[in-house]
Amino acid sequence: MSTNKNCIVRISRYKNALNRLKSLGFVKVFSSNLADATGTSSAQVRKDFSLFGITGNKRGGYNVDDLIEQMNQIFGKHLVHKVVIVGLGNIGKALLRYKGFEKESIKVAAAFDIDSSKFNDDSIVPVYPLEKLGEFIKENEIKLGVISVPDVAAQQVFEIMKKSGIKGVLNFAPISLNNESGVVINNINLEMELENLVYYVIAAEKS
Amino acid sequence: MSTNKNCIVRISRYKNALNRLKSLGFVKVFSSNLADATGTSSAQVRKDFSLFGITGNKRGGYNVDDLIEQMNQIFGKHLVHKVVIVGLGNIGKALLRYKGFEKESIKVAAAFDIDSSKFNDDSIVPVYPLEKLGEFIKENEIKLGVISVPDVAAQQVFEIMKKSGIKGVLNFAPISLNNESGVVINNINLEMELENLVYYVIAAEKS
């Protein structure tokens, strides 16, 4: 299937829009409704649907619940996906309590840090020393990892993840990871986003 | 100046690479060094530099400190930019303690919430009720805002920010804000990033 990130991002947006429309009482939607709610065209919506084999009675509109169910299948919502979080600074700690994981059927299996004061075997999410990361990933067959360590440590953590079988990484460290494997890395670079905003704000003030 | 977001993102990357090269002892760099460190071409580096009026002796290489200084000017590092954070859930609270703001010369002027148990006038960063947001932005001439409220509240917060003079917004709410103004919005949608990763992990397991 020839899918790219933009296409999958659009499916995510359709799904979010559908959930909102559902909460407004919608039972049926047309491709043009979804196009309006997500800022794309009806033709694009139908093209994306056909690419992912999403079906429905187009003439009478799509059934909202059916569409949501089909999209949940695409995103594996019927399975629970385990994730490890490495690095319990401010961002890592916030992620430990982040409600959004549950919505994506993601369960935080464990967190890892180098600071022994953070280790905790009893809490709902155990916190282990970094040395145990590789072993834990293998034993628990974890496929998803979050990197929220400082930039200097990020590549090393990524190498351990890659070797142990992680397939998808959400990277918060402000660094581009060297990645010649098939691991998918999604970067969230807060510093770069902030820098970028400041640039536009300054430009707006000058003009 | 015809600049787009990708171009500014590349300048951010060059700057990050320069800071790392500097910490390794580099005094001079060539455009090819920066191209290698950021995964682009030398021609692109030189094109970006010329677009932003970044100068240097190309034949003998660029002076690292000069380049960093010129890039800091572009990103307004010589000024302090004030930001307000609206919504003190897990993400908002983590941002209050986020060290990266300082690196970008950004100071958190105040935070806002609807939960009165979070109000605090005495802390380094005061926390005020949401009703005071518009007034505070105007009085303190704030240009940058962070939205870290639940999706249902995000549009309303954005409208207040826009009306009060905010020019750049970092939006963590998992929703596309309706924006017909000139305000720049950078979205960080954790749920969508996670969903996207899960999709690729499932696809990798099937193949």
Side-chain angles (χ1 to χ4, degrees):
Chain A
M1 203 193 299
S2 78
T3 53
N4 60 33
K5 186 169 173 179
N6 289 339
C7 178
I8 296 152
V9 164
R10 281 195 303 272
I11 299 278
S12 269
R13 290 203 178 120
Y14 303 148
K15 189 175 57 60
N16 291 346
L18 282 165
N19 281 319
R20 282 203 297 276
L21 294 171
K22 186 182 168 161
S23 73
L24 291 171
F26 276 57
V27 175
K28 297 246 172 202
V29 288
F30 294 88
S31 53
S32 69
N33 298 142
L34 287 175
D36 290 346
T38 58
T40 185
S41 68
S42 311
Q44 183 70 61
V45 172
R46 288 191 299 267
K47 198 175 154 194
D48 291 333
F49 279 14
S50 95
L51 201 61
F52 281 90
I54 296 170
T55 55
N57 179 354
K58 285 165 198 121
R59 202 160 295 182
Y62 297 86
N63 179 289
V64 170
D65 283 330
D66 277 0
L67 281 185
I68 292 174
E69 174 53 28
Q70 289 183 69
M71 291 182 190
N72 283 343
Q73 287 282 339
I74 291 172
F75 291 115
K77 294 289 164 68
H78 50 301
L79 302 167
V80 173
H81 308 279
K82 287 177 285 187
V83 67
V84 287
I85 297 177
V86 183
L88 289 182
N90 293 327
I91 293 174
K93 273 188 280 184
L95 289 173
L96 271 189
R97 291 183 290 256
Y98 179 57
K99 302 279 191 300
F101 281 126
E102 216 172 304
K103 266 169 110 176
E104 306 307 328
S105 306
I106 293 173
K107 186 183 176 301
V108 182
F112 295 83
D113 205 285
I114 51 166
D115 177 358
S116 59
S117 73
K118 290 175 182 162
F119 301 160
N120 187 343
D121 212 343
D122 298 329
S123 62
I124 302 172
V125 177
V127 181
Y128 298 122
L130 187 58
E131 299 86 68
K132 292 202 172 177
L133 177 62
E135 190 188 314
F136 186 91
I137 293 170
K138 281 183 215 157
E139 276 178 10
N140 294 278
E141 298 182 329
I142 314 274
K143 303 293 174 207
L144 288 170
V146 172
I147 298 180
S148 45
V149 298
D151 54 0
V152 290
Q155 186 69 38
Q156 183 206 350
V157 169
F158 177 65
E159 298 296 333
I160 299 171
M161 287 183 167
K162 199 170 67 177
K163 255 186 239 164
S164 318
I166 292 279
K167 299 293 176 212
V169 168
L170 194 59
N171 174 39
F172 287 88
I175 184 176
S176 321
L177 298 169
N178 281 324
N179 179 23
E180 287 167 11
S181 63
V183 178
V184 178
I185 302 177
N186 284 359
N187 292 295
I188 296 188
N189 191 332
L190 285 177
E191 286 177 21
M192 202 178 278
E193 296 290 344
L194 287 166
E195 193 160 80
N196 190 276
L197 271 187
V198 170
Y199 171 80
Y200 283 109
V201 169
I202 295 174
E205 281 175 351
K206 278 184 192 154
S207 67
Chain B
M1 202 194 299
S2 77
T3 52
N4 60 33
K5 186 168 173 180
N6 288 340
C7 178
I8 296 154
V9 165
R10 282 195 303 273
I11 299 277
S12 268
R13 291 202 177 122
Y14 302 149
K15 190 175 58 61
N16 290 346
L18 282 164
N19 281 319
R20 282 203 298 277
L21 294 171
K22 186 181 166 161
S23 73
L24 291 172
F26 276 57
V27 176
K28 297 246 172 200
V29 287
F30 295 88
S31 53
S32 70
N33 298 141
L34 287 176
D36 291 346
T38 58
T40 184
S41 68
S42 313
Q44 184 69 62
V45 173
R46 288 191 300 267
K47 196 174 154 196
D48 291 333
F49 279 16
S50 96
L51 201 61
F52 281 90
I54 296 171
T55 55
N57 179 354
K58 285 166 198 124
R59 202 160 298 181
Y62 297 87
N63 178 290
V64 170
D65 283 330
D66 277 1
L67 281 185
I68 291 174
E69 174 55 27
Q70 290 182 70
M71 291 182 189
N72 283 342
Q73 287 282 337
I74 290 171
F75 291 115
K77 295 287 163 71
H78 51 300
L79 303 167
V80 174
H81 308 280
K82 286 177 287 188
V83 67
V84 287
I85 296 177
V86 182
L88 289 182
N90 292 327
I91 293 174
K93 274 189 278 184
L95 290 172
L96 271 188
R97 290 183 292 257
Y98 180 57
K99 301 279 191 301
F101 282 127
E102 215 172 304
K103 267 169 110 176
E104 308 307 328
S105 306
I106 293 172
K107 187 182 176 302
V108 182
F112 295 83
D113 205 284
I114 52 166
D115 176 358
S116 60
S117 72
K118 290 176 181 162
F119 301 160
N120 186 344
D121 212 343
D122 297 331
S123 63
I124 302 172
V125 177
V127 182
Y128 298 122
L130 187 59
E131 299 84 70
K132 291 202 172 177
L133 177 62
E135 189 188 315
F136 186 90
I137 292 171
K138 281 184 214 153
E139 276 179 9
N140 296 278
E141 297 182 331
I142 313 274
K143 303 292 174 209
L144 288 170
V146 172
I147 298 180
S148 44
V149 297
D151 54 359
V152 290
Q155 186 69 39
Q156 182 205 352
V157 169
F158 177 66
E159 297 297 332
I160 300 172
M161 287 184 168
K162 198 170 68 177
K163 256 187 237 162
S164 318
I166 291 280
K167 298 292 177 214
V169 168
L170 194 59
N171 174 39
F172 286 88
I175 183 176
S176 321
L177 298 168
N178 280 325
N179 179 23
E180 285 166 11
S181 62
V183 178
V184 178
I185 302 176
N186 284 359
N187 293 296
I188 297 188
N189 190 332
L190 284 177
E191 286 177 21
M192 200 179 280
E193 296 289 344
L194 287 165
E195 193 160 79
N196 190 276
L197 272 186
V198 170
Y199 171 79
Y200 283 110
V201 169
I202 294 173
E205 281 175 353
K206 278 184 193 155
S207 67

